[in-house]
Amino acid sequence: MDYKIENDQEREYFNQNFDVMTELLQRIRNSLISGKPIKTNDLNLQGILDYKPSTTILYISLFQEGQDFIKYGSVRKELNAALNRDIEKLREHKRFSQFEVENTDKCRIMIEFSTHRLQTTLRRLQQSEFNEDRFEIGINGLELKKDGVSYYYMPTDGFTLSHLGLKQALNGVIRKTSIGKMTNKIPERIAILKETPGCEYFLLKSHAFITYKNEAIPLYRGNILYPEFSYDILLDQFINSCDWLVENMYDDGRFLYYYDCKEDNFVDHEHPTRKKDNLYYNDLRHCGGIITLLHAYNLTKNEKYLHAAKKAIDYCVSITQKHEFEKKPAYYSFLNNKAKLGGTGLFAVSMMKYRITTGDTSYDDYIEGYINHILSRMTKSGELLGYYIHPQYNNGKPLLKVNDKDRKEMFSFYYPGEALLGLALFCNHYDKNKKFVDDVRKRARKALNWIVDERPKYYKELFTALPSDAWLMQAIEEWCEDESFRKENLINFVFQDANILMEKMYSQNDTPYIDYDGGYFYEHGDHYFPDGARSEGLIASYYLAKKLGKEELATKILSACKRAAKSQFSLYVNDKNNYAHKNPQRSRRTIRFKATRQWVRVDSIQHVACFFIRLYKTEN
């Protein structure tokens, strides 16, 4: 379906001058301070805030650092009445006095008003198809009408509450009803709702504005909009996110691994039961932070990035263990009672990139040991096994032999590519122990051929519609620095995955949402993925195309990369969109996971930042 007309109208709305909303929000602030009724009859709001009597729900919300936001919404016959009702109820709120409403820097005010209201049914609501019954987080709200009373979940709630889908939105309205008191479990609440007669359901859309100092900022999906791609934005977000990594390192060289911007805590959603003094950490994602900082140093020559990268590398050394392979030391990463191929591979990548950047050879023994360990995990056929130690297999002892069943259970798309990138950097840039380098190069050929030609046969059922082999694409790009590795099967693999990534990328007018352009999907209709990790593979394919003189293909890929980058701009937390976080000083300059989720992890920053800097260098 072509959504061009609908999207053009939406873009036209956001291209307006919103000075009148700046004035309206200032009047709302003055009224909140004084208690005097607001008047808007002299404001020309036509085409910006078109109030529809008895159907427009209008909310005013207050946000301030350290506070849970407060909000109130009302439906009245005319705009002034709705505004004054909201202001009156906010002033009556028990926590209103905690908000410094007179301070435009501290207290930010949002106005949100519904623009569309479409009746639907609970059975028809869905998230997989683009039709009138689709619920899209951040774009749609819900109205549940029960016993003559309406309960609302507004579109911006998806962003401010860090939600991701329909179940959380339904829970957002259900918990306001009597059903919410029956159980705390979302599935049970929804099941009760399904059996409750006489309920009406409406899908809502809205427009919203938030104050920023003395300006009114229009919001889309609760966030600010980036109308176009910009290299300046790329650079700004890259540098600032790198600064956040540096400023949030621990003394032992680890990065702040996980941060929930909404809750202002470090509780990882994948490991919620870990104690505060023993939070989960990940060696692979740690290395991503190192690689990012080395990019920052190479760009700026600022020693703080290099110092932080070295401190992070020393942490790698601290969790390195040793065994022997072919009568030589073999070193591997060991964390969380696991020895992952990818961890050791990225240790090698990080140290080789550090060596290339600085000429420092002090880690060479470790580099050779990591490379030797990777070779120890290569089977006769050339397959690289994902684990050396796993607590659930062989009683947590080294996996010297792995049967087919266990091998498939421990399969990873990422680890072999990470290891092969380490081998490639070693073979292309390590300037001593030539005999060992030549041996590695020979064995790597077998591993590359196996992963490209044979892996799809052995693990066919594990492949998904959207490729996830960005590390392998980067590895092959690096291997192709050596002309003897420019083989058709390897090159075709990279470009085939690149073409699929571009095919699985939403375009400007094939969805009803103007921020979907450049986001990935598995199946058309999925909620979009603004995905830096996969984009690292896509930009690697661009550099490979340039290296091989495939200019037309390179141009096509570069265009797709720019679209992908623009979709990821909105993941960055800056001063303007940082209004709903309890601790905006800590969350500022981070890069989040998802469009509405307010979660940050070291790799959500790393992947986007590394993609951005490589894209930036295509023109600079």
Side-chain angles (χ1 to χ4, degrees), residues 9 12 73 101 110 135 149 153 187 215 223 230 246 257 301 329 344 366 382 398 425 430 445 468 472 476 508 535:
Q9 290 173 345
E12 185 178 345
V101 182
M110 178 197 286
F135 176 84
V149 178
Y153 177 96
E215 182 184 1
N223 202 347
S230 162
V246 172
Y257 176 71
K301 302 306 177 186
T344 301
Y366 286 99
L425 289 166
Y430 197 73
R445 291 183 192 277
S468 54
L472 182 55
I476 293 173
Q508 195 170 46
S535 299

Short mmCIF file of all heavy atoms in Angstrom, two decimals, residues 9 12 73 101 110 135 149 153 187 215 223 230 246 257 301 329 344 366 382 398 425 430 445 468 472 476 508 535:
data_model
loop_
_atom_site.label_atom_id
_atom_site.label_comp_id
_atom_site.label_asym_id
_atom_site.label_seq_id
_atom_site.Cartn_x
_atom_site.Cartn_y
_atom_site.Cartn_z
N GLN A 9 1.12 14.55 4.39
CA GLN A 9 0.29 15.40 5.26
C GLN A 9 0.91 15.48 6.66
O GLN A 9 0.92 16.56 7.27
CB GLN A 9 -1.13 14.85 5.34
CG GLN A 9 -1.92 15.01 4.05
CD GLN A 9 -3.27 14.31 4.10
OE1 GLN A 9 -3.54 13.47 4.97
NE2 GLN A 9 -4.14 14.65 3.16
N GLU A 12 3.94 17.66 6.50
CA GLU A 12 3.51 19.05 6.34
C GLU A 12 3.11 19.64 7.69
O GLU A 12 3.40 20.81 7.98
CB GLU A 12 2.33 19.13 5.35
CG GLU A 12 1.89 20.54 5.01
CD GLU A 12 0.76 20.56 3.99
OE1 GLU A 12 0.53 19.51 3.35
OE2 GLU A 12 0.14 21.62 3.84
N GLY A 73 -6.02 14.75 32.33
CA GLY A 73 -6.67 14.92 31.05
C GLY A 73 -8.17 15.11 31.21
O GLY A 73 -8.77 14.60 32.16
N VAL A 101 7.37 25.06 38.77
CA VAL A 101 6.71 25.39 37.50
C VAL A 101 7.23 26.69 36.91
O VAL A 101 7.30 26.86 35.69
CB VAL A 101 5.18 25.46 37.71
CG1 VAL A 101 4.48 25.76 36.38
CG2 VAL A 101 4.66 24.16 38.29
N MET A 110 4.09 19.36 29.08
CA MET A 110 3.63 18.75 27.83
C MET A 110 2.13 18.98 27.68
O MET A 110 1.38 18.86 28.66
CB MET A 110 3.90 17.24 27.80
CG MET A 110 3.40 16.55 26.53
SD MET A 110 3.27 14.75 26.68
CE MET A 110 5.00 14.30 26.62
N PHE A 135 -2.44 -1.39 16.47
CA PHE A 135 -1.94 -0.57 17.56
C PHE A 135 -0.45 -0.40 17.39
O PHE A 135 0.30 -1.38 17.37
CB PHE A 135 -2.23 -1.20 18.93
CG PHE A 135 -1.63 -0.40 20.07
CD1 PHE A 135 -2.32 0.67 20.59
CD2 PHE A 135 -0.37 -0.70 20.57
CE1 PHE A 135 -1.77 1.45 21.60
CE2 PHE A 135 0.19 0.06 21.58
CZ PHE A 135 -0.50 1.14 22.10
N VAL A 149 -17.72 5.16 31.79
CA VAL A 149 -16.53 5.91 32.16
C VAL A 149 -15.39 5.54 31.20
O VAL A 149 -15.17 4.36 30.92
CB VAL A 149 -16.11 5.61 33.62
CG1 VAL A 149 -14.83 6.36 33.98
CG2 VAL A 149 -17.24 5.97 34.58
N TYR A 153 -5.11 5.58 27.74
CA TYR A 153 -3.66 5.38 27.59
C TYR A 153 -3.30 6.21 26.38
O TYR A 153 -3.70 5.91 25.26
CB TYR A 153 -3.34 3.90 27.36
CG TYR A 153 -1.87 3.57 27.13
CD1 TYR A 153 -1.06 3.15 28.17
CD2 TYR A 153 -1.31 3.67 25.86
CE1 TYR A 153 0.27 2.82 27.96
CE2 TYR A 153 0.03 3.36 25.64
CZ TYR A 153 0.81 2.93 26.68
OH TYR A 153 2.12 2.61 26.47
N PRO A 187 -1.40 -10.83 31.87
CA PRO A 187 -2.23 -11.78 31.11
C PRO A 187 -3.57 -12.06 31.79
O PRO A 187 -4.60 -12.21 31.11
CB PRO A 187 -1.36 -13.05 31.07
CG PRO A 187 0.04 -12.55 31.22
CD PRO A 187 -0.05 -11.39 32.16
N GLU A 215 10.77 27.36 24.38
CA GLU A 215 10.34 26.90 23.06
C GLU A 215 9.39 25.72 23.20
O GLU A 215 9.46 24.96 24.16
CB GLU A 215 11.59 26.48 22.27
CG GLU A 215 11.35 26.03 20.86
CD GLU A 215 12.63 25.54 20.19
OE1 GLU A 215 13.70 25.54 20.84
OE2 GLU A 215 12.55 25.15 19.01
N ASN A 223 8.85 11.58 20.88
CA ASN A 223 10.24 11.93 20.66
C ASN A 223 10.32 13.11 19.71
O ASN A 223 9.32 13.52 19.11
CB ASN A 223 10.98 10.73 20.08
CG ASN A 223 12.47 10.77 20.29
OD1 ASN A 223 13.03 11.80 20.66
ND2 ASN A 223 13.13 9.65 20.04
N SER A 230 21.99 13.80 8.33
CA SER A 230 23.01 14.85 8.48
C SER A 230 24.31 14.24 8.99
O SER A 230 24.30 13.53 10.00
CB SER A 230 22.52 15.93 9.44
OG SER A 230 23.59 16.72 9.92
N VAL A 246 33.08 6.89 28.43
CA VAL A 246 34.27 7.21 29.23
C VAL A 246 33.87 7.64 30.63
O VAL A 246 34.46 7.19 31.63
CB VAL A 246 35.09 8.32 28.55
CG1 VAL A 246 36.21 8.80 29.46
CG2 VAL A 246 35.68 7.82 27.23
N TYR A 257 27.33 -1.16 32.34
CA TYR A 257 26.81 -2.12 31.35
C TYR A 257 25.38 -1.81 30.94
O TYR A 257 25.04 -1.91 29.76
CB TYR A 257 26.89 -3.53 31.94
CG TYR A 257 26.30 -4.60 31.07
CD1 TYR A 257 26.95 -4.98 29.89
CD2 TYR A 257 25.09 -5.22 31.38
CE1 TYR A 257 26.41 -5.95 29.07
CE2 TYR A 257 24.55 -6.19 30.56
CZ TYR A 257 25.21 -6.55 29.41
OH TYR A 257 24.68 -7.50 28.59
N LYS A 301 42.12 12.18 18.26
CA LYS A 301 43.44 12.16 18.90
C LYS A 301 43.38 12.63 20.36
O LYS A 301 44.41 12.99 20.95
CB LYS A 301 44.46 13.00 18.13
CG LYS A 301 44.64 12.55 16.68
CD LYS A 301 44.97 11.06 16.59
CE LYS A 301 45.07 10.60 15.14
NZ LYS A 301 45.26 9.13 15.01
N PRO A 329 50.80 -21.71 24.20
CA PRO A 329 49.79 -21.11 25.07
C PRO A 329 48.56 -20.70 24.28
O PRO A 329 48.66 -20.18 23.17
CB PRO A 329 50.50 -19.89 25.66
CG PRO A 329 51.95 -20.13 25.47
CD PRO A 329 52.07 -20.94 24.21
N THR A 344 36.58 -14.38 23.18
CA THR A 344 38.00 -14.45 22.83
C THR A 344 38.27 -13.78 21.49
O THR A 344 39.27 -13.09 21.32
CB THR A 344 38.46 -15.92 22.81
OG1 THR A 344 38.23 -16.49 24.10
CG2 THR A 344 39.93 -16.03 22.47
N TYR A 366 49.32 -12.05 24.59
CA TYR A 366 47.89 -12.32 24.72
C TYR A 366 47.25 -12.47 23.35
O TYR A 366 46.42 -13.37 23.13
CB TYR A 366 47.20 -11.21 25.51
CG TYR A 366 47.50 -11.27 26.99
CD1 TYR A 366 48.46 -10.44 27.54
CD2 TYR A 366 46.84 -12.16 27.81
CE1 TYR A 366 48.76 -10.49 28.90
CE2 TYR A 366 47.13 -12.23 29.17
CZ TYR A 366 48.08 -11.40 29.70
OH TYR A 366 48.37 -11.48 31.04
N GLY A 382 36.40 -27.23 9.50
CA GLY A 382 36.53 -25.77 9.45
C GLY A 382 35.51 -25.04 10.27
O GLY A 382 35.55 -23.81 10.36
N PRO A 398 36.03 -28.09 30.15
CA PRO A 398 36.29 -27.79 28.74
C PRO A 398 35.64 -28.78 27.78
O PRO A 398 35.68 -29.99 27.99
CB PRO A 398 37.82 -27.84 28.65
CG PRO A 398 38.27 -27.43 30.01
CD PRO A 398 37.27 -28.04 30.95
N LEU A 425 42.32 -9.47 11.32
CA LEU A 425 43.16 -8.36 11.77
C LEU A 425 44.56 -8.86 12.11
O LEU A 425 45.57 -8.19 11.82
CB LEU A 425 42.52 -7.68 12.98
CG LEU A 425 41.26 -6.85 12.67
CD1 LEU A 425 40.52 -6.52 13.96
CD2 LEU A 425 41.61 -5.58 11.93
N TYR A 430 49.57 -8.14 11.91
CA TYR A 430 50.54 -8.59 12.92
C TYR A 430 51.88 -8.79 12.22
O TYR A 430 52.00 -9.59 11.29
CB TYR A 430 50.07 -9.89 13.56
CG TYR A 430 50.76 -10.22 14.86
CD1 TYR A 430 50.47 -9.52 16.02
CD2 TYR A 430 51.70 -11.25 14.93
CE1 TYR A 430 51.08 -9.83 17.22
CE2 TYR A 430 52.33 -11.56 16.13
CZ TYR A 430 52.01 -10.84 17.28
OH TYR A 430 52.63 -11.15 18.46
N ARG A 445 41.17 -19.81 5.87
CA ARG A 445 40.51 -20.05 4.58
C ARG A 445 39.47 -21.16 4.71
O ARG A 445 38.36 -21.06 4.19
CB ARG A 445 41.55 -20.45 3.52
CG ARG A 445 42.48 -19.34 3.09
CD ARG A 445 43.41 -19.83 1.98
NE ARG A 445 44.49 -18.91 1.73
CZ ARG A 445 44.40 -17.83 0.96
NH1 ARG A 445 43.24 -17.57 0.35
NH2 ARG A 445 45.43 -17.03 0.79
N SER A 468 21.68 -11.69 10.39
CA SER A 468 22.26 -11.18 11.64
C SER A 468 23.76 -11.43 11.69
O SER A 468 24.32 -11.60 12.76
CB SER A 468 21.58 -11.83 12.84
OG SER A 468 21.63 -13.25 12.75
N LEU A 472 30.45 -11.17 10.63
CA LEU A 472 31.06 -11.92 9.54
C LEU A 472 31.24 -11.03 8.31
O LEU A 472 32.24 -11.13 7.60
CB LEU A 472 30.22 -13.15 9.20
CG LEU A 472 30.76 -14.06 8.10
CD1 LEU A 472 32.18 -14.53 8.39
CD2 LEU A 472 29.83 -15.26 7.89
N ILE A 476 34.85 -10.47 6.57
CA ILE A 476 35.17 -10.69 5.16
C ILE A 476 35.69 -9.40 4.53
O ILE A 476 36.61 -9.42 3.71
CB ILE A 476 33.95 -11.25 4.41
CG1 ILE A 476 33.63 -12.67 4.93
CG2 ILE A 476 34.18 -11.26 2.90
CD1 ILE A 476 32.36 -13.28 4.38
N GLN A 508 10.26 5.13 2.66
CA GLN A 508 9.60 6.35 3.12
C GLN A 508 8.08 6.28 3.11
O GLN A 508 7.41 6.81 3.99
CB GLN A 508 10.07 7.53 2.28
CG GLN A 508 9.76 8.87 2.89
CD GLN A 508 10.45 9.99 2.14
OE1 GLN A 508 10.44 10.03 0.92
NE2 GLN A 508 11.06 10.91 2.87
N SER A 535 23.42 -2.59 10.83
CA SER A 535 23.93 -1.52 9.98
C SER A 535 25.45 -1.54 9.90
O SER A 535 26.03 -1.09 8.91
CB SER A 535 23.44 -0.16 10.49
OG SER A 535 22.02 -0.09 10.45
#
